[in-house]
Amino acid sequence: MIRRRCCLRAVDETARAFNRVTDHFHLRRLAVCWACCSSLAFSQGSQIRLVHDPDVVEVQAVAPNIVRLHIQPGGKASPRTLVIDPSFQPIGIDKVRVDRNGAAHTLSSPEMRVVVDDGPEYSVQVQDARGKTLVTVKRDSQPGRGLQRRGTVIIHDQNENLYGIHALGWHDSDPGILRNLGGAVAAGFQGDGGAPFFFTTKYGVLVDSDGGSFQTVDDTIRFQ
């Protein structure tokens, strides 16, 4: 329970840092909420559901600038964590339009465009209002280890800086607030927050997970 409370505090503090950094650059912010396998119950109106037997992927706009990805390995969901407010409900989704054209599905609003490819190797591409791709979520090309299934990865611009994830270490010898090398989700020794959340000056990604770690290699980000 203590660990989950830390996550709640961490999300709040890290989100404020996200706002400070992005407001400094005067950029419009987008958010990706990534539920690896937890159970979330929302309206079905602005949702795209992919079934890749036996896996299920749901893509839903929960605000004009927030998209939720619900990935269910083997079609199974696990209990959700306290990282996301249990009373959270979509807002402003009347501005979101859903278009389907064969294997291509699109969620679009005045603030973002989400392109879903329902091919054999599904992908979800999140774009800003101008059509520039910010992140692409897709199946990991690497096979799973042992009994683990093949996971999901995030592809991003490897030249952009990452922030969030964890706080400073005991001796404050951390190189700063940059998290380009990823790291384990953890609060700081001096009470500052960490969260299953990373962000840039253009968007943020929150994972509904009680702990974990982000690994970055070139343009690829994995969460475990």
Side-chain angles (χ1 to χ4, degrees), residues 122-197:
Y122 70 83
S123 67
V124 180
Q125 190 178 97
V126 182
Q127 304 174 352
D128 63 16
R130 295 173 295 179
K132 180 180 179 180
T133 298
L134 302 176
V135 292
T136 300
V137 179
K138 66 178 186 178
R139 269 188 171 175
D140 195 343
S141 59
Q142 296 184 2
R145 297 180 179 179
L147 298 177
Q148 292 182 342
R149 294 179 178 274
R150 187 166 55 153
T152 302
V153 297
I154 300 174
I155 307 300
H156 74 117
D157 179 359
Q158 68 184 69
N159 295 313
E160 66 186 358
N161 288 323
L162 304 179
Y163 307 90
I165 305 176
H166 65 83
L168 294 176
W170 180 258
H171 299 291
D172 285 355
S173 59
D174 199 281
I177 63 174
L178 292 180
R179 299 292 179 263
N180 295 345
L181 299 179
V185 173
F189 288 93
Q190 300 185 36
D192 38 356
F197 175 59

Side-chain angles (χ1 to χ4, degrees), residues 33-44:
C33 174
W34 183 7
C36 293
C37 55
S38 60
S39 177
L40 300 170
F42 291 135
S43 165
Q44 305 297 308

Side-chain angles (χ1 to χ4, degrees), residues 22-121:
T22 51
D23 283 342
H24 175 73
F25 288 96
H26 303 289
L27 295 172
R28 186 172 297 279
R29 301 177 294 277
L30 294 177
V32 179
C33 174
W34 183 7
C36 293
C37 55
S38 60
S39 177
L40 300 170
F42 291 135
S43 165
Q44 305 297 308
S46 57
Q47 179 173 284
I48 297 170
R49 192 170 191 269
L50 311 180
V51 179
H52 285 255
D53 195 26
D55 301 335
V56 176
V57 180
E58 296 174 351
V59 184
Q60 181 182 19
V62 295
N65 65 337
I66 302 177
V67 61
R68 159 194 167 253
L69 275 62
H70 186 191
I71 301 170
Q72 304 170 52
K76 298 179 181 179
S78 62
R80 61 180 301 181
T81 74
L82 296 178
V83 170
I84 298 177
D85 185 351
S87 63
F88 173 78
Q89 292 294 324
I91 185 171
I93 57 175
D94 56 308
K95 300 177 182 180
V96 179
R97 188 179 70 191
V98 181
D99 296 308
R100 294 178 173 84
N101 184 10
H105 308 256
T106 304
L107 292 171
S108 56
S109 76
E111 298 180 53
M112 71 175 179
R113 187 168 184 263
V114 181
V115 180
V116 181
D117 182 359
D118 191 13
E121 299 293 329

